[in-house]
Amino acid sequence: KMTVSRMSPLTRKTMTNFHSYLITQGLSQGSAIAYSNALNHFQRVTGLNGQATGQDVANFYGQIRHPNTRRLAFYAFKHYGAFTGKDLASGIKAPKQEKRLPKALNSDQLKTLFKVPNSPAKPLFMFLLATGVRISEALAVKRQDFNVSQGTLTIFGKGGKERIVFLDTPTLAVIKDYANSIQTEKLFPLTHSEAYYLLRTFGRAHGIKLTPHICRHSFASQLLLNGCDIMSLSKMLGHTSLATTSVYLNITPEIMRSQYQKANPLKNLK
């Protein structure tokens, strides 16, 4: 009689160990939390904790309509299968990756938000825009990570990789004033949800869509517009591949125009 492989029960201990496993595989805290939440959602919807088979996984996956949710569920099952040694997602296909250009704020939108006085979101907004760090990295920053005299900050990114980011003088002044007003060890004592809500509310009050990702993309596009080379930008963003960074070259026509104007071989012949 053939034995049917079933998913291991999603106990609290198992999920804690799964989260730790994902971190050791080089995933960010945000990704680890998202995959854990996806599995917990599967358990709540199906009620098959410890009894789910590959067919149950396939049926559940087939009912998901949103592309991003399908992608999240697929990789959650794949990672959990690697963690437990039981791949119940072998019967489902990986969703196609949509190649969408990242959204970035234009100069007018940036000026509008910079001029807003005394918003509780302003320190986080300026910090993200000045450094280009991921929101998970920003929420992990502690006071002692700063080198105030040099205007630098040590960031521990995906897989524990360390890199140095820079803060301009105006941003550093805002952060120093903000840091003096709080008593916590962490610079931004917020959850991911709270950080997203804070920025979204800040932007919406001025008719601008604002998320941590948009801040990161705006950082990249502004640096490229002002002549930063792709290799330096890649290091500042904490990318391991230039291919990942190259998507920013296509954010706006202005970037291509600025690069053309600087490199036009006929410019000095007129």
Side-chain angles (χ1 to χ4, degrees), residues 59-101:
N59 292 342
F60 172 80
Y61 182 77
Q63 294 172 4
I64 303 174
R65 293 290 173 260
H66 196 284
N68 289 340
T69 307
R70 284 175 67 85
R71 189 173 301 109
L72 180 65
F74 175 82
Y75 288 109
F77 286 126
K78 282 295 184 183
H79 282 297
Y80 191 69
F83 169 64
T84 61
K86 298 178 181 178
D87 184 10
L88 299 186
S90 58
I92 59 180
K93 294 182 179 180
K96 292 183 179 180
Q97 180 72 42
E98 295 181 16
K99 293 185 178 180
R100 294 186 297 177
L101 295 180

Side-chain angles (χ1 to χ4, degrees), residues 10-235:
L10 304 180
T11 63
R12 179 174 297 183
K13 182 178 180 180
T14 299
M15 296 309 293
T16 299
N17 291 338
F18 177 55
H19 183 278
S20 299
Y21 164 79
L22 293 174
I23 299 300
T24 63
Q25 296 302 302
L27 276 71
S28 68
Q29 287 286 351
S31 295
I33 292 171
Y35 291 145
S36 297
N37 288 343
L39 292 178
N40 284 325
H41 177 67
F42 168 75
Q43 174 187 311
R44 288 194 301 270
V45 170
T46 64
L48 295 171
N49 192 17
Q51 296 296 317
T53 65
Q55 187 59 54
D56 294 320
V57 170
N59 292 342
F60 172 80
Y61 182 77
Q63 294 172 4
I64 303 174
R65 293 290 173 260
H66 196 284
N68 289 340
T69 307
R70 284 175 67 85
R71 189 173 301 109
L72 180 65
F74 175 82
Y75 288 109
F77 286 126
K78 282 295 184 183
H79 282 297
Y80 191 69
F83 169 64
T84 61
K86 298 178 181 178
D87 184 10
L88 299 186
S90 58
I92 59 180
K93 294 182 179 180
K96 292 183 179 180
Q97 180 72 42
E98 295 181 16
K99 293 185 178 180
R100 294 186 297 177
L101 295 180
K103 295 179 181 179
L105 302 178
N106 59 40
S107 296
D108 290 337
Q109 291 173 319
L110 288 170
K111 289 176 183 177
T112 296
L113 295 178
F114 271 122
K115 290 178 181 178
V116 178
N118 304 322
S119 167
K122 192 76 173 285
L124 178 60
F125 166 67
M126 290 189 66
F127 179 82
L128 291 174
L129 198 67
T131 62
V133 300
R134 303 174 179 91
I135 188 60
S136 57
E137 296 169 340
L139 299 184
V141 169
K142 299 177 182 178
R143 293 168 180 266
Q144 62 263 31
D145 297 333
F146 281 94
N147 185 323
V148 177
S149 62
Q150 295 185 15
T152 60
L153 170 67
T154 302
I155 291 292
F156 298 93
K158 289 184 176 181
K161 293 181 179 178
E162 181 178 329
R163 71 182 189 277
I164 301 295
V165 298
F166 308 91
L167 286 92
D168 57 276
T169 302
T171 301
L172 192 58
V174 168
I175 295 300
K176 285 172 67 177
D177 288 342
Y178 162 73
N180 289 333
S181 69
I182 60 175
Q183 304 298 320
T184 56
E185 181 186 13
K186 286 191 174 181
L187 186 62
F188 300 107
L190 302 166
T191 64
H192 280 70
S193 297
E194 290 169 341
Y196 272 86
Y197 178 78
L198 190 66
L199 291 171
R200 186 169 61 248
T201 304
F202 177 50
R204 186 177 293 166
H206 303 281
I208 298 171
K209 182 178 180 180
L210 187 65
T211 68
H213 292 300
I214 289 176
C215 290
R216 181 167 161 86
H217 301 329
S218 300
F219 165 84
S221 64
Q222 288 298 311
L223 257 66
L224 287 172
L225 277 169
N226 287 287
C228 180
D229 65 273
I230 194 75
M231 180 70 77
S232 297
L233 177 60
S234 182
K235 290 181 178 179

